Amino acid sequence: MRPLVPARPPQLRLLPCLLLASFSSVASAQQTEPAPVLPAITVSANKQQQTLESVPASITVIDGESLRDAHIGSVDALEHITPGLSFQPFGQGGVNSPVVRGMSANFFSFSTSTLLLVDGVPTLMAQGFDNNLLAVDRVEVLRGPQGTLYGRNAEAGVINIYSLVPDNTPRSMLSVAAGSRNLRSLSVDLSRPLVTDTLYASIAGEWRQQDGFIDNASTGAKEGGRDTRNLKLALRWTPDTRTDATLRYTRTDQDDGAAWWGAPAAVRGTVNSGTAGWNKSNGSTLSLNLAHELDSGLKLRSITARNEWFDHVMQDTDFRLPDTLHIGRDHHFTTLSQEFRLEGKLGAASWLAGLYADQDDHHLLNEQKLPMALTRSRAALAGNSVALFTDWTVPLAQHWTLVAGARAERDSVRFTPDGGAEKSATWTRLSPKLAVQYQWAPQQQLYASVTDGFRAGGYNVFVPGAGYAAYEPETVRSFELGSKGWLAGNRLRYAAALYLMNVRNMQVQQMPTPGVVYVTNAASARSTGAEFELDYLLGAGWQLQAGLAVNHTRFDTFRDGSNNYDGNHNPFAPDLNGHLSVRYDARANWYAQATLTGTGKVYLDAANRYSRNGFGLINLNGGYRFGQTEVSAYLNNLANHRYDAVGYQNGIVTVYSPPREAGLRLTWRM
């Protein structure tokens, strides 16, 4: 039985009916068959394999098959099945800025508050913060500061994606799909041993195309179409039982239309634009992941990676026939990273120590068209990080365990505007972690932790009028109390966490006009909240999964010029989000699932003038398997609910929400 995955909500009458049917089915089935149990889950949250319940942190885990069944094929869609995770509304493919526990980051700070790791390769900014989730083994979402093990961009959390590993078991899958707005897609996933027990290879690829939904009165065309191609290659070598090396290459190419933007005063879903908008971004990664067990029993791991992203965009911003206002970007981002880790045991204690280093080399070109001028700003942005870290898990006494760690990190940034003098800054930070876990019953744990997080400062690279003003590093101290475990004979898995995060020098984005974005520091802020998750096998093929996050992130003190934002909401941080999903797996090889997902209201600016209203969605999906073939279907946003972000970029732009979408997929496994 796979862990349940969500989808989207409004007509709540469906779910009570499903739940009532499920409980009545359980009552009769329990008399004739043994109760099913949930499988144990192994995670690598602390960079070592552990059971989910033994990690003193708030973690959501979704396996790859559940993602496929729910037709979830992008990182931003994870917000519908992960409490405490959301994304800023932006409307452009390949660019996502995550929000975890109310903490977020500006697109033009070229950093994120939540780290994305795909097979150990870090993505450190919103540009390229995506993955099509093809050939994925599992996704782990860690909430709360993870700076001790993961560094400066993990101050709010980590999204860790693990791909399927090629081995001796052949894997072959071919899928074709069609759906709303002329959706067409083709995907393939192949894995084979080249030399049994020694050399293995895999290839996965996807082509996906879909028309837009925004009417352009000027051209008669539909704006906002998406055309994406993805490729994943892996070559694995295991010369002996102690050595495991995997070389991976991935590539993404986009040939999209304009962003899902329009004017707030216009009829919804319409523009009258004479400026062609497009997104021709692309990216690639190359990595080598090497693991070796030494004769002493120590385990050595090395991850070497190169991550590259080209952000190539043109976007109208007044949505009128003459080319009066537009923005363009032609950015090239390159990050090289290297991590060495050594892990072992000292008596009953497990330990890990490591060295991490990265180097950024970014070349930026920003274009802005105003009624009387066209300006282009060029700049070079470089930097590097070096860190030493360690993590220890020490049994203290019966039922008690101590987890402690620390990271010493040095971050440097160098900014050179075209024709100007170089600006540079360096920050050094020690990020400690301390957690105590108490196993008060055989399958029940309590934990308490205190953890520090850190995000480096930088320069406002496209604000020459302010002298490319600097902004300070952001620091977080988090206190967390949680409980997790099993009940009902391992048919129910639960997790709950309460947290308090004190933030100093919070980095806040301001958008006075399209193309002009700057970062400034709020003196202080506070984030408090709670998270709950439940996974319950009801019996007779029924499964229920639920998650809820309550968050309260507010500025304590924040002055920006003459503006006073004390007590305001942090932009893009919802006070509430969650999901409730019910799934039925029939013995006749078919399944059906309904998911209600909802998110509270978010504000789009520090003044809290503009907002996106809260919303609830119902998503449905199901499938039938016969032999090696599967037919599956989905219906997202059943009630065609609208949840536009009205007033983005200081009231000038509306980011449209996508309409209802249905699709059908045919899959062959060989």
Side-chain angles (χ1 to χ4, degrees):
M1 178 70 66
R2 288 180 292 273
L4 238 202
V5 177
R8 308 185 187 191
Q11 296 172 344
L12 303 181
R13 293 189 295 270
L14 291 177
L15 289 177
C17 294
L18 285 170
L19 291 173
L20 181 60
S22 71
F23 284 113
S24 62
S25 297
V26 171
S28 59
Q30 283 180 338
Q31 301 176 6
T32 60
E33 62 182 35
V37 296
L38 288 166
I41 295 178
T42 300
V43 298
S44 301
N46 286 338
K47 300 195 174 182
Q48 301 179 74
Q49 290 203 344
Q50 300 170 278
T51 61
L52 175 62
E53 288 73 29
S54 66
V55 180
S58 183
I59 308 172
T60 295
V61 183
I62 313 108
D63 72 271
E65 278 300 305
S66 294
L67 292 169
R68 274 190 58 79
D69 287 352
H71 293 260
I72 292 177
S74 62
V75 166
D76 60 316
L78 294 173
E79 69 178 346
H80 299 300
I81 57 175
T82 308
L85 170 67
S86 59
F87 288 86
Q88 294 185 22
F90 193 63
Q92 178 190 317
V95 178
N96 293 299
S97 187
V99 185
V100 173
R101 292 186 171 178
M103 302 290 293
S104 188
N106 174 12
F107 293 100
F108 284 105
S109 66
F110 304 115
S111 72
T112 55
S113 60
T114 296
L115 176 66
L116 174 65
L117 278 174
V118 182
D119 299 314
V121 180
T123 294
L124 304 170
M125 60 188 67
Q127 293 81 358
F129 198 105
D130 204 358
N131 188 275
N132 71 337
L133 303 178
L134 177 66
V136 163
D137 176 62
R138 70 186 187 280
V139 177
E140 299 176 10
V141 181
L142 289 72
R143 292 174 291 267
Q146 307 294 326
T148 299
L149 286 173
Y150 292 98
R152 71 186 189 277
N153 286 74
E155 66 161 354
V158 174
I159 300 174
N160 227 328
I161 299 175
Y162 298 91
S163 298
L164 292 170
V165 176
D167 54 23
N168 281 327
T169 303
R171 185 176 73 249
S172 302
M173 186 199 72
L174 176 66
S175 290
V176 294
S180 303
R181 306 199 312 275
N182 199 24
L183 169 68
R184 297 89 74 200
S185 78
L186 172 67
S187 61
V188 62
D189 177 17
L190 302 173
S191 178
R192 289 289 187 276
L194 304 180
V195 179
T196 302
D197 295 330
T198 303
L199 190 64
Y200 328 86
S202 67
I203 178 172
E206 180 188 52
W207 168 77
R208 179 183 175 91
Q209 191 173 77
Q210 188 172 33
D211 295 344
F213 60 90
I214 301 172
D215 292 312
N216 191 332
S218 173
T219 64
K222 292 285 189 180
E223 300 289 350
R226 299 288 186 260
D227 187 348
T228 307
R229 293 161 298 283
N230 295 280
L231 175 67
K232 296 182 178 181
L233 302 173
L235 184 65
R236 183 184 177 207
W237 181 50
T238 56
D240 53 53
T241 59
R242 293 186 175 184
T243 305
D244 194 332
T246 303
L247 179 68
R248 293 186 181 273
Y249 174 77
T250 69
R251 183 172 177 85
T252 297
D253 288 275
Q254 294 176 307
D255 189 9
D256 296 351
W260 294 344
W261 289 10
V267 175
R268 186 192 186 272
T270 64
V271 295
N272 188 25
S273 176
T275 304
W278 40 260
N279 172 16
K280 300 182 184 298
S281 301
N282 64 82
S284 63
T285 67
L286 180 65
S287 66
L288 176 62
N289 192 320
L290 173 64
H292 181 70
E293 185 173 343
L294 304 175
D295 292 339
S296 61
L298 297 178
K299 297 178 181 179
L300 174 67
R301 183 173 294 274
S302 168
I303 303 175
T304 307
R306 183 180 191 271
N307 192 354
E308 187 174 37
W309 184 262
F310 292 87
D311 184 36
H312 194 36
V313 172
M314 178 65 69
Q315 177 67 48
D316 191 6
T317 53
D318 65 354
F319 314 104
R320 298 175 182 173
L321 188 58
D323 185 9
T324 307
L325 298 173
H326 75 243
I327 56 175
R329 303 193 305 271
D330 191 2
H331 302 335
H332 180 196
F333 305 101
T334 305
T335 299
L336 302 175
S337 62
Q338 174 65 59
E339 180 172 295
F340 294 107
R341 297 202 307 264
L342 190 66
E343 62 181 86
K345 291 187 176 295
L346 183 62
S350 300
W351 61 269
L352 177 149
L355 168 68
Y356 173 84
D358 66 34
Q359 179 176 300
D360 296 330
D361 184 14
H362 307 327
H363 298 275
L364 313 174
L365 171 59
N366 209 50
E367 176 179 300
Q368 184 176 16
K369 175 68 168 66
L370 299 173
M372 302 301 292
L374 176 66
T375 62
R376 291 187 174 92
S377 303
R378 295 181 182 271
L381 185 64
N384 63 274
S385 299
V386 179
L388 292 171
F389 59 90
T390 187
D391 193 81
W392 290 73
T393 301
V394 183
L396 296 177
Q398 188 178 19
H399 308 306
W400 290 91
T401 302
L402 174 70
V403 179
R407 186 185 190 96
E409 182 167 318
R410 183 179 185 272
D411 299 289
S412 299
V413 61
R414 299 181 302 281
F415 166 61
T416 309
D418 192 26
E422 179 183 284
K423 296 173 175 285
S424 63
T426 299
W427 303 276
T428 301
R429 177 75 180 175
L430 178 66
S431 300
K433 174 181 74 174
L434 184 66
V436 176
Q437 190 167 30
Y438 174 58
Q439 185 175 345
W440 60 274
Q443 292 183 306
Q444 319 293 328
Q445 291 87 18
L446 293 171
Y447 69 87
S449 67
V450 56
T451 313
D452 279 8
F454 168 75
R455 183 147 53 99
Y459 294 93
N460 284 288
V461 299
F462 297 123
V463 192
Y468 307 103
Y471 50 90
E472 294 300 313
E474 178 179 277
T475 61
V476 177
R477 175 156 291 175
S478 174
F479 303 89
E480 184 171 330
L481 179 66
S483 176
K484 54 177 66 176
W486 305 71
L487 292 170
N490 288 7
R491 291 186 295 113
L492 186 151
R493 179 187 289 115
Y494 72 91
L498 302 172
Y499 61 87
L500 164 65
M501 302 199 304
N502 291 318
V503 188
R504 300 298 178 205
N505 290 322
M506 174 179 268
Q507 296 173 11
V508 184
Q509 67 181 26
Q510 304 280 50
M511 300 182 184
T513 60
V516 177
V517 184
Y518 69 91
V519 180
T520 186
N521 293 101
S524 63
R526 178 171 293 184
S527 173
T528 59
E531 295 152 353
F532 309 92
E533 288 191 281
L534 181 72
D535 191 356
Y536 189 20
L537 291 178
L538 301 167
W542 291 89
Q543 184 178 10
L544 179 141
Q545 195 173 62
L548 177 66
V550 181
N551 175 264
H552 185 275
T553 302
R554 303 290 187 271
F555 303 130
D556 288 338
T557 55
F558 183 15
R559 309 287 197 278
D560 186 27
S562 60
N563 299 310
N564 182 349
Y565 302 133
D566 292 0
N568 283 10
H569 293 247
N570 191 31
F572 309 110
D575 283 353
L576 186 72
N577 82 323
H579 67 271
L580 173 65
S581 184
V582 178
R583 173 171 171 141
Y584 177 68
D585 284 273
R587 290 180 174 178
N589 294 325
W590 62 269
Y591 65 91
Q593 181 170 302
T595 301
L596 168 66
T597 180
T599 299
K601 181 177 182 178
V602 298
Y603 291 94
L604 308 177
D605 62 326
N608 291 179
R609 289 184 299 247
Y610 306 106
S611 64
R612 182 190 70 185
N613 289 331
F615 62 91
L617 306 175
I618 289 178
N619 293 342
L620 306 175
N621 65 276
Y624 176 64
R625 302 181 179 96
F626 49 100
Q628 303 297 101
T629 305
E630 178 183 351
V631 178
S632 62
Y634 69 93
L635 177 60
N636 287 342
N637 192 2
L638 175 66
N640 201 23
H641 192 68
R642 298 174 180 177
Y643 47 103
D644 302 339
V646 182
Y648 192 65
Q649 300 227 6
N650 203 31
I652 297 173
V653 170
T654 290
V655 182
Y656 294 127
S657 61
R660 176 173 51 218
E661 180 179 331
L664 184 69
R665 182 177 67 205
L666 182 61
T667 301
W668 295 273
R669 301 177 190 270
M670 298 164 276

